[in-house]
């Protein structure tokens, strides 16, 4: 009898392995659900990964950034020029093409989470690429910028005139 129980256990293990493999091939694995296979908790990731020659950054939807702002634990920088308003809880402003010259404004920790914004998302995408090239590994870009943020119905702090 014990051999039957062992054979059934092996069959179950093989069946689970085949199922997981088929799900991964079909795009139904943990990554498709936004869960890192190496994470120790069931943490859902946000955004879509954008590959660059030097690494990658992540594009965020306004709703994703809005949720992140509720328990802000990242550095938020506006790189738009000229200044045309800003998101709540903005930590710094650095012109998009002057990121490298002003790198001391950014966290020294290259693994620190940094979110970059601008008016439409194009300047912040360029700044995100620069940060990745400079070795930052946890960079996020607000896709569509403040235009998308406002279109989603979220607050934009106007410039002091």
């Amino acid at each position: 009898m014990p051999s039957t129980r062992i054979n059934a256990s092996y069959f179950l293990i093989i069946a689970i392995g085949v199922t997981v493999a088929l799900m991964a091939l079909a795009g139904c694995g943990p990554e498709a659900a936004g869960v890192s296979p190496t994470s120790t908790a069931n943490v859902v990731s946000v955004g879509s990964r954008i590959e660059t020659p030097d690494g990658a950054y992540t594009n965020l939807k306004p709703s994703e950034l809005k949720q992140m702002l509720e328990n802000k634990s990242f550095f938020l920088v506006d790189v738009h020029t000229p200044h045309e308003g800003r998101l709540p809880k903005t930590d710094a402003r650095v012109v998009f093409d002057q990121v490298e010259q002003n790198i001391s404004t950014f966290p020294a920790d290259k693994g620190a989470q940094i979110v970059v914004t601008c008016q439409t998302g194009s300047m912040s995408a360029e700044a995100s690429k620069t940060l990745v090239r400079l070795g930052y590994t946890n960079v996020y870009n607000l896709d569509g910028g403040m235009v998308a943020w406002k279109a989603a119905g979220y607050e934009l702090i106007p410039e002091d005139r």
Side-chain angles (χ1 to χ4, degrees):
M1 270 310 156
S3 65
T4 305
R5 185 172 283 161
I6 292 172
N7 288 340
S9 296
Y10 286 135
F11 177 75
L12 180 60
I13 291 169
I14 291 169
I16 291 170
V18 169
T19 302
V20 169
L22 289 172
M23 288 175 65
L25 287 172
C28 299
E31 296 84 358
V35 178
S36 168
T38 59
S39 67
T40 57
N42 197 14
V43 178
V44 177
S45 64
V46 295
S48 57
R49 187 174 169 91
I50 306 299
E51 296 292 333
T52 74
D54 302 303
Y57 63 91
T58 302
N59 268 348
L60 294 174
K61 296 175 186 172
S63 60
E64 293 169 325
L65 179 55
K66 177 71 170 168
Q67 186 174 13
M68 290 170 62
L69 281 168
E70 290 176 14
N71 296 305
K72 186 176 178 283
S73 63
F74 55 89
F75 185 78
L76 179 61
V77 60
D78 176 6
V79 297
H80 188 72
T81 186
H83 298 316
E84 297 185 47
R86 61 184 164 81
L87 273 62
K89 302 182 182 182
T90 296
D91 295 302
R93 285 184 148 161
V94 175
V95 177
F96 80 100
D97 61 354
Q98 296 175 11
V99 168
E100 189 165 4
Q101 298 89 320
N102 293 286
I103 201 64
S104 63
T105 303
F106 293 84
D109 176 6
K110 300 287 179 137
Q113 188 175 33
I114 300 172
V115 177
V116 188
T117 68
C118 71
Q119 190 69 14
T120 64
S122 59
M123 291 179 184
S124 56
E126 287 303 313
S128 295
K129 290 175 192 172
T130 300
L131 288 168
V132 168
R133 181 175 51 77
L134 295 173
Y136 285 88
T137 59
N138 205 4
V139 179
Y140 295 79
N141 172 53
L142 177 58
D143 194 21
M146 290 182 267
V147 170
W149 179 264
K150 284 176 20 181
Y154 302 131
E155 172 191 12
L156 186 64
I157 299 171
E159 291 300 317
D160 297 329
R161 302 271 178 210

